Amino acid sequence: DAGVTQSPTHLIKTRGQQVTLRCSPKSGHDTVSWYQQALGQGPQFIFQYYEEEERQRGNFPDRFSGHQYPNYSSELNVNALLLGDSALYLCASSLPGRADTQYFGPGTRLTVL
Amino acid sequence: SQQGEEDPQALSIQEGENATMNCSYKTSINNLQWYRQNSGRGLVHLILIRSNEREKHSGRLRVTLDTSKKSSSLLITASRAADTASYFCATDVGSARQLTFGSGTQLTVLP
């Protein structure tokens, strides 16, 4: 049983560009959450998707948007990249009705130059 | 914003010793969880303790929760070099089901 997968593993972009990160949840999981982890810090909640809709959102600007597909996979889009967006982006999935226990993917390392 | 704060920020011990990490948080919680992260990779869920529980064990891990002091501790017994990692506490608050993480404790276990 594959766990949570994310692509790509690493990404380098320049300021002002746009980026799309992808996540496939663990089998049987229907809820996907995204987190941003800056170097040396704990992860910060970006948003959570359930039934193809954004259910909760953290303190992130509208430049951060997402999508969930009918197969529960999800995308994180970031527009107008800033240097401060450089971070590890983590996706987590959870079972129906069990969003308290989240399983994390390996992350995508985004570097903005 | 960070709900939990871990203490100490860094801990270095010898293999075989016990490691204790502490977490403090600010608001009422549904549960508190501990995660491990190796070298900036994904987080691995270690243990969850609910707000009505005071102590929980899982293998070499022991977690305590004191809701009156809004604090938790993670004890790793008989540590191994493979336990070297960053450890984070995360709180689950209200109906949001979003996890709020602390800044982590970097544990180094020396062989």
Side-chain angles (χ1 to χ4, degrees):
Chain A
D1 174 30
V4 179
T5 59
Q6 293 186 243
S7 63
T9 305
H10 295 88
L11 203 51
I12 298 175
K13 292 285 188 178
T14 57
R15 280 180 297 175
Q17 286 190 312
Q18 179 265 342
V19 68
T20 296
L21 311 181
R22 294 178 175 82
C23 171
S24 291
K26 196 172 164 63
S27 178
H29 289 194
D30 66 352
T31 302
V32 174
S33 302
W34 287 92
Y35 294 81
Q36 179 197 66
Q37 186 178 21
L39 200 62
Q41 300 294 317
Q44 300 261 348
F45 176 76
I46 302 175
F47 42 54
Q48 183 179 91
Y49 275 83
Y50 171 70
E51 292 188 340
E52 302 179 50
E53 292 193 357
E54 184 183 289
R55 180 160 70 173
Q56 294 289 341
R57 188 178 183 92
N59 188 25
F60 279 80
D62 292 345
R63 297 188 297 110
F64 290 76
S65 63
H67 189 80
Q68 185 179 36
Y69 294 93
N71 66 353
Y72 307 120
S73 67
S74 178
E75 290 180 352
L76 164 66
N77 301 292
V78 187
N79 295 321
L81 284 167
L82 304 173
L83 295 179
D85 294 332
S86 294
L88 181 68
Y89 288 85
L90 296 161
C91 168
S93 70
S94 50
L95 285 164
R98 288 302 310 275
D100 57 348
T101 301
Q102 299 182 19
Y103 295 81
F104 283 80
T108 293
R109 174 71 64 186
L110 172 65
T111 301
V112 182
L113 302 176
Chain B
S1 62
Q2 312 245 252
Q3 154 84 311
E5 292 296 332
E6 286 90 342
D7 169 57
Q9 289 187 332
L11 180 61
S12 184
I13 60 173
Q14 295 292 135
E15 209 165 26
E17 293 181 337
N18 296 341
T20 300
M21 288 159 267
N22 303 297
C23 169
S24 60
Y25 57 91
K26 299 173 184 175
T27 64
S28 296
I29 60 173
N30 297 318
N31 62 66
L32 186 143
Q33 305 177 40
W34 286 89
Y35 286 83
R36 185 185 73 223
Q37 185 176 41
N38 291 83
S39 300
R41 296 185 59 79
L43 294 157
V44 174
H45 184 265
L46 296 176
I47 196 166
L48 179 153
I49 186 165
R50 302 199 181 280
S51 59
N52 61 354
E53 297 176 310
R54 291 297 168 258
E55 187 171 316
K56 204 163 184 179
H57 297 254
S58 178
R60 294 185 296 113
L61 305 179
R62 172 178 170 254
V63 170
T64 62
L65 179 65
D66 187 336
T67 53
S68 66
K69 295 181 179 178
K70 292 187 171 54
S71 67
S72 173
S73 67
L74 171 67
L75 169 67
I76 304 173
T77 61
S79 62
R80 307 165 181 168
D83 294 329
T84 294
S86 292
Y87 291 82
F88 295 90
C89 67
T91 52
D92 172 7
V93 176
S95 61
R97 295 312 194 191
Q98 65 186 65
L99 294 178
T100 304
F101 287 83
S103 51
T105 293
Q106 173 61 52
L107 173 66
T108 303
V109 181
L110 303 168

